[in-house]
Every structure is written in structure tokens, then in C-alpha cells.
Amino acid sequence: MHGILCAAVAAAMLMFAGCGNGDPVEAGLPGEEIVDTGLVVNEFLASNDSVDMDGEGETDDWIELHNRGDAAIDLSIYSLADGELKQPYLLPDMELEAGGFLRVWIDNDPEQGFDHLGFKLSRKGESIWLRRESDGVLADFVQYEEQQTDISSGRLPDGSGEFVLCEAPSPGLSNADGCTP
């Protein structure tokens, strides 16, 4: 079944319904509370065949981060990890301005640049962990099911909404035009 699971965006285990496919889903964490740091996973593409290429001409998976806060966020104290490896990869040493978006390539090619991380997303479904490493806080957690090729999953509205399918992926930009509820 193609679809996505809602992100755990509340500070407790909750039951959500209507994640773009109408199915109720359970979004739960393994005993860990999400703390709102202003930085969230806003969109991701776990099966990229033709949507976007990196600087090496490769169509790799990616995750878009969004600073939904009103001040810049130092990304160097945050990490991303997938549920399979649980090995955190530090984000680039830079600030993300308030309201800003940043796409990072999830291609297992960190030697290709500061915005390439050392793991890949599974098209068949898994989880994405965003953690503030300076204090160990879990900033966001996304659990998703099998993904369709070249269709991303994004929050609508940006930064706070449920994940919906995005037939026109928009890495680095608002999801308002490419995603439909």
C-alpha cells in the first residue's frame, strides 16, 4: 500500500487520522518526547528517479528541513538519522534563517559536499529522526510507509501540518503549491 504515516508532531504518543490517504495511522515514539526547537522535517523524497539532481548529476533521496521559528537556527548542533541505522549524521555548519528551508541529500555520499549525509532512505518505509545533539533533544520524528517514485511527502501547511503527497516536490521552497491535502 502506497502512503505515508503522519509525523509525530505532538509531545506525546497520539492517534492521527487523514494523512492524505484517509487511513487512520498510529504515530508513536519509543518512549521519547518531541521538543519543539523550531526545526522540523518538512518534506522528503525517498524514491527519486527524475525529480531533482545533485551537483554530481545523481537523482538521490533528500530531506527538506524548515525553520518555523522567528530566529536563525545553528544547524551544526543537529543531526539526522534513519530508523534502520540510528547512526546520527551532523547537519552542515551553517545557520538556517527564520522561515527558511534547506534540502540535504540523503545519498550515503558525504564526500560530495556539506549537504550530503552518510545514509539513504528506504523507499519501502522507515523512520527519520531529527535530534539536537547539544542536549540530546528529539526535535522531530517521521515514520513513513512505502513511497511512490518521484512523489514526495510534505507537511501542509509548512512546518506544522500533516504529511500529504506532493506530486510536484518543492525542495527548498514552501509546499503550498506542490502538495495537495
Side-chain angles (χ1 to χ4, degrees):
M1 176 174 115
H2 294 288
I4 59 170
L5 293 179
C6 291
V9 294
M13 292 186 230
L14 299 172
M15 179 67 82
F16 289 93
C19 287
N21 61 7
D23 296 334
V25 298
E26 187 174 342
L29 299 174
E32 217 173 333
E33 188 174 297
I34 292 177
V35 175
D36 184 0
T37 66
L39 188 65
V40 296
V41 173
N42 197 54
E43 186 178 4
F44 63 93
L45 183 61
S47 182
N48 185 2
D49 188 48
S50 63
V51 169
D52 206 7
M53 287 190 223
D54 67 9
E56 301 292 320
E58 301 167 340
T59 53
D60 293 316
D61 302 342
W62 49 262
I63 294 173
E64 175 192 72
L65 301 172
H66 176 52
N67 177 354
R68 65 180 181 190
D70 57 4
I73 294 177
D74 177 7
L75 295 181
S76 70
I77 63 171
Y78 285 85
S79 68
L80 280 169
D82 68 350
E84 189 173 307
L85 295 177
K86 291 272 188 95
Q87 178 179 350
Y89 289 90
L90 289 174
L91 293 176
D93 186 8
M94 62 181 287
E95 285 193 342
L96 184 59
E97 70 276 0
F101 300 91
L102 175 70
R103 180 211 20 232
V104 290
W105 297 100
I106 309 301
D107 58 2
N108 205 24
D109 289 324
E111 70 281 353
Q112 290 183 354
F114 73 94
D115 58 348
H116 291 257
L117 299 184
F119 66 99
K120 289 185 164 217
L121 296 176
S122 172
R123 182 183 72 79
K124 295 185 180 206
E126 67 175 323
S127 56
I128 301 169
W129 299 70
L130 175 64
R131 188 176 298 281
R132 189 170 61 196
E133 290 293 322
S134 60
D135 57 8
V137 162
L138 182 62
D140 203 0
F141 173 83
V142 178
Q143 176 114 18
Y144 65 91
E145 293 178 348
E146 186 170 346
Q147 299 294 290
Q148 298 175 43
T149 299
D150 293 338
I151 296 177
S152 67
S153 297
R155 291 183 193 264
L156 197 60
D158 288 311
S160 63
E162 294 179 353
F163 279 87
V164 297
L165 298 179
C166 303
E167 292 188 17
S170 58
L173 303 169
S174 173
N175 295 338
D177 294 328
C179 302
T180 55

